[in-house]
């Protein structure tokens, strides 16, 4: 099934995700379930290609400001509630939002493309 990043952004995100594989060039995320156009997909994957400029921040409720995450090992926690994507030049900026023990967190990176795969 061909699902582009715009369709993923329109989808219902409140799911558990797990990093299956991560390198400088590839990121594969396991997704427990995702609703796309009213259809529920379980145990699917997102494959991101040619990652660059990875970043992560969390909202510090005490200071009322965004702070950089020191630990880049999945800073949003395991449950994703927000997914955004937009074109920036020839790449696409992807970002995820979720609750980390530090506070609401955002994690993102640039990639050439994403592929949605059903298990």
């Amino acid at each position: 099934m061909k699902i582009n990043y715009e369709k993923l952004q329109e989808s219902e995100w409140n799911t558990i995700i797990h990093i299956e594989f991560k390198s400088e060039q590839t990121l594969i995320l396991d997704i427990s379930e995702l609703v796309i156009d009213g259809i529920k997909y379980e145990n699917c994957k997102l494959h991101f290609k040619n990652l660059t400029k990875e970043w992560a921040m969390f909202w510090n409720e005490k200071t009322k400001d965004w702070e950089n995450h020191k630990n880049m090992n999945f800073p949003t926690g395991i449950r994703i509630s927000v997914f955004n994507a937009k074109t920036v030049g020839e790449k696409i900026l992807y970002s995820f939002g979720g609750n980390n023990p530090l506070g609401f967190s955002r994690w993102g990176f640039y990639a050439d493309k994403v592929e949605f795969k059903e298990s």
Side-chain angles (χ1 to χ4, degrees):
M1 164 182 265
K2 284 281 192 187
I3 302 282
N4 61 19
Y5 70 90
E6 288 121 343
K7 187 60 70 180
L8 289 170
Q9 187 165 277
E10 296 167 1
S11 301
E12 296 174 36
W13 287 85
N14 186 15
T15 189
I16 295 173
I17 65 175
H18 168 74
I19 296 174
E20 178 180 302
F21 178 81
K22 183 177 179 183
S23 72
E24 290 182 16
Q25 293 296 312
T26 303
L27 171 66
I28 300 173
L29 295 178
D30 289 326
I31 301 171
S32 63
E33 68 180 49
L34 185 60
V35 178
I36 303 173
D37 286 337
I39 301 169
K40 182 176 174 180
Y41 297 91
E42 294 182 345
N43 303 317
C44 45
K45 297 180 187 301
L46 292 179
H47 291 231
F48 296 93
K49 304 289 184 187
N50 300 320
L51 279 66
T52 58
K53 299 182 183 177
E54 183 179 14
W55 57 270
M57 302 184 89
F58 71 94
W59 181 252
N60 185 326
E61 191 60 39
K62 290 180 184 175
T63 64
K64 304 289 187 207
D65 200 8
W66 289 99
E67 294 187 18
N68 288 326
H69 264 286
K70 295 187 187 340
N71 181 354
M72 292 295 287
N73 293 328
F74 215 59
T76 57
I78 63 167
R79 183 168 291 280
I80 296 299
S81 56
V82 178
F83 173 86
N84 293 101
K86 66 179 179 179
T87 303
V88 179
E90 294 183 13
K91 293 219 177 229
I92 302 167
L93 172 60
Y94 297 93
S95 68
F96 299 88
N99 287 309
N100 179 290
L102 296 172
F104 183 78
S105 300
R106 300 290 298 186
W107 170 52
F109 47 83
Y110 292 85
D112 289 343
K113 66 178 184 173
V114 61
E115 294 176 4
F116 173 81
K117 297 189 178 186
E118 295 180 72
S119 295

